[in-house]
Amino acid sequence: MIEEKWSKESRTYFSTELLSWYERSKRDLPWRRHRDPYYIWISEIMLQQTRVDTVIPYFLRFIERFPTIESLAEAPEEDVLKCWEGLGYYSRARNLQAAARQVMERHGGQVPRDKASVAALKGVGPYTTGAILSIAFDQPEPAVDGNVMRVLSRYFFIEEDIMKTGTRALMEGLAASLIPAGRAADFNQALMELGALVCTPKAPQCLTCPVMAHCSARLEGAELRLPVKSKAKPPRPEHRIVALVEGEGDRGGRVLVRRRPDTGLLARMWELPHVLAAAKPSEGADLPDGAAMSRLAGALAEEGRYVRPEGPFMTAEHIFSHIHWYMRVFRFQEAAALSALAGFAELAVAEPKAAYDEGERAEEYRWITLEDMEELAFPNVFLKILHQYFNDKQQK
């Protein structure tokens, strides 16, 4: 089918010109300086949904901290998450460590060379499988991600929806047919590079493209229309209220944080206590400050943590693939007992069970300083809030 739909001449031209361009123009990236399959694997996991410039310092820090598969497999999960902190999509880090343990147990600590074994590793999908096998071992396997599908859609004028499984299969077959013998590593990286630097989503640099002369989308004036991609469902909104609790007495200068449960969203990461603003997650945006602080105080009281409200602190947002958190942060002072809250209007001690998500009760609380943040792994949104708080304290 590939041979019938796109001529051998067209495919040969594409591959030849693309490789010539890559040899002249490829970026000097740290994971390209060797062929260690472990390092290539790490880089490909980090690069999922993340820009190259963002990944470079994380990659260098990660391989310094975990230079071998064995060191990653044996490390405490908290250390792995801390090293990943700020990169987001933390399931990638957990899956990477789980897969490192698989490699130790099943493959003697060596990244396997066969497709079935690589694909069986935790968190390794078709794209990453192809990337590891082609870049590390020069096997003629396609590595088709969003950048690659965009390039192929435009050059070969593929109008099928790239979000559909059948289109991905078509792209993988086409990409495999384009790989020159013995050049799988360079070709796949060249294809990714072209999509990242030249054939970009909104402003393709057609005049500098090495294959522009035969790009079907450019010749038809359709480069901005392709690829065809159905819109993903937007993340659902959740309105949350957050407690920034300052300690008293021996805990003065410290802030109360909690660790999330062992499973689920952001598992085992640290955060500020927070609850839904209303029983229905999409509601609560207009909850008055007093009622919001009451709800937070009541939720903390349910867990034996008593606080006095101080007032609003800041707002923040965090977007996951499926959820958009809209967060209002309020300051509190630690209190000795619930009686310290007497007279505070609308104290909602009876309501907090509706405010917590099922299964999201804190596993552990801890009072921390700025220095303690060097050891604990926090999601980006809580890093932002805590750094803002400690910066404000230092400037006073």
Side-chain angles (χ1 to χ4, degrees):
M1 177 182 175
I2 298 298
E3 289 75 10
E4 294 175 359
K5 193 172 182 65
W6 297 290
S7 69
K8 182 178 180 180
E9 291 75 18
S10 175
R11 287 181 285 126
T12 300
Y13 170 85
F14 180 89
S15 302
T16 301
E17 295 302 317
L18 181 62
L19 279 170
S20 295
W21 169 80
Y22 181 68
E23 289 167 357
R24 299 190 306 269
S25 309
K26 64 181 177 182
R27 289 174 289 182
D28 179 21
L29 301 175
W31 46 87
R32 287 179 176 167
R33 297 170 189 167
H34 43 69
R35 298 290 284 274
D36 187 321
Y38 171 57
Y39 290 173
I40 291 167
W41 175 19
I42 292 171
S43 72
E44 290 299 335
I45 297 297
M46 287 187 169
L47 286 164
Q48 293 171 9
Q49 299 175 293
T50 309
R51 294 173 59 86
V52 167
D53 291 346
T54 301
V55 165
I56 289 174
Y58 279 94
F59 172 81
L60 294 172
R61 185 164 63 246
F62 199 89
I63 63 172
E64 180 180 8
R65 176 64 181 82
F66 310 110
T68 64
I69 293 177
E70 183 179 11
S71 63
L72 176 59
E74 295 179 351
E77 183 183 272
E78 289 78 5
D79 291 357
V80 178
L81 291 175
K82 185 62 185 177
C83 202
W84 201 275
E85 183 184 71
L87 199 55
Y89 300 98
Y90 293 95
S91 61
R92 294 182 298 174
R94 292 190 182 88
N95 289 340
L96 181 61
Q97 185 178 38
R101 290 169 177 164
Q102 287 179 291
V103 171
M104 293 301 299
E105 294 168 2
R106 303 175 185 176
H107 306 289
Q110 300 296 314
V111 176
R113 291 172 173 258
D114 65 286
K115 187 174 182 177
S117 296
V118 173
L121 297 175
K122 183 79 170 178
V124 176
Y127 165 76
T128 308
T129 297
I132 293 171
L133 292 175
S134 62
I135 299 172
F137 304 120
D138 212 22
Q139 295 183 23
E141 292 289 340
V144 176
D145 66 355
N147 280 331
V148 170
M149 287 195 283
R150 183 170 58 255
V151 171
L152 297 182
S153 290
R154 288 171 174 170
Y155 183 84
F156 293 100
F157 209 85
I158 299 172
E159 296 184 280
E160 286 86 346
D161 184 349
I162 63 172
M163 297 297 286
K164 293 183 176 180
T165 303
T167 306
R168 172 174 284 277
L170 173 68
M171 296 279 192
E172 289 175 345
L174 174 56
S177 78
L178 296 169
I179 300 173
R183 300 297 304 275
D186 284 343
F187 177 80
N188 279 347
Q189 290 182 93
L191 196 48
M192 299 173 202
E193 192 96 325
L194 187 69
L197 300 182
V198 178
C199 195
T200 53
K202 296 182 179 179
Q205 308 299 307
C206 294
L207 295 180
T208 64
C209 178
V211 296
M212 63 168 287
H214 295 284
C215 176
S216 299
R218 186 191 71 83
L219 294 172
E220 294 288 335
E223 64 272 18
L224 296 179
R225 181 169 65 80
L226 295 175
V228 174
K229 182 179 181 181
S230 56
K231 290 186 178 181
K233 186 177 180 180
R236 68 177 186 270
E238 287 192 0
H239 294 278
R240 292 182 171 264
I241 47 180
V242 182
L244 200 159
V245 183
E246 301 171 279
E248 285 278 13
D250 293 343
R251 291 190 283 265
R254 294 176 178 268
V255 172
L256 183 67
V257 298
R258 68 182 187 185
R259 185 160 61 181
R260 295 181 65 85
D262 291 342
T263 59
L265 186 68
L266 302 174
R268 294 189 61 77
M269 299 195 74
W270 292 84
E271 64 182 3
L272 293 170
H274 59 101
V275 299
L276 290 166
K280 188 174 181 180
S282 61
E283 298 178 353
D286 56 353
L287 185 68
D289 289 350
M293 288 186 286
S294 295
R295 182 175 284 269
L296 279 166
L300 286 166
E302 280 272 318
E303 299 201 349
R305 304 283 171 173
Y306 304 117
V307 295
R308 295 192 304 272
E310 296 287 332
F313 178 59
M314 65 181 289
T315 60
E317 294 183 30
H318 190 69
I319 302 176
F320 301 95
S321 58
H322 61 300
I323 304 172
H324 188 160
W325 280 356
Y326 296 91
M327 310 176 79
R328 296 158 61 198
V329 187
F330 297 90
R331 287 180 62 171
F332 293 83
Q333 199 72 36
E334 181 188 11
L338 186 60
S339 59
L341 295 168
F344 180 58
E346 304 175 10
L347 179 61
V349 177
E351 290 191 34
K353 289 183 179 179
Y356 272 96
D357 294 341
E358 185 178 353
E360 281 199 359
R361 291 289 184 173
E363 292 293 298
E364 178 184 349
Y365 279 98
R366 182 168 170 178
W367 294 92
I368 67 163
T369 63
L370 178 61
E371 289 71 27
D372 293 324
M373 293 178 63
E374 296 300 318
E375 301 176 6
L376 308 179
F378 290 87
N380 281 345
V381 65
F382 295 107
L383 284 176
K384 176 183 176 182
I385 296 168
L386 285 164
H387 281 304
Q388 181 67 55
Y389 168 77
F390 284 117
N391 287 339
D392 288 354
K393 295 286 283 187
Q394 290 174 349
Q395 291 173 9
K396 290 183 179 178

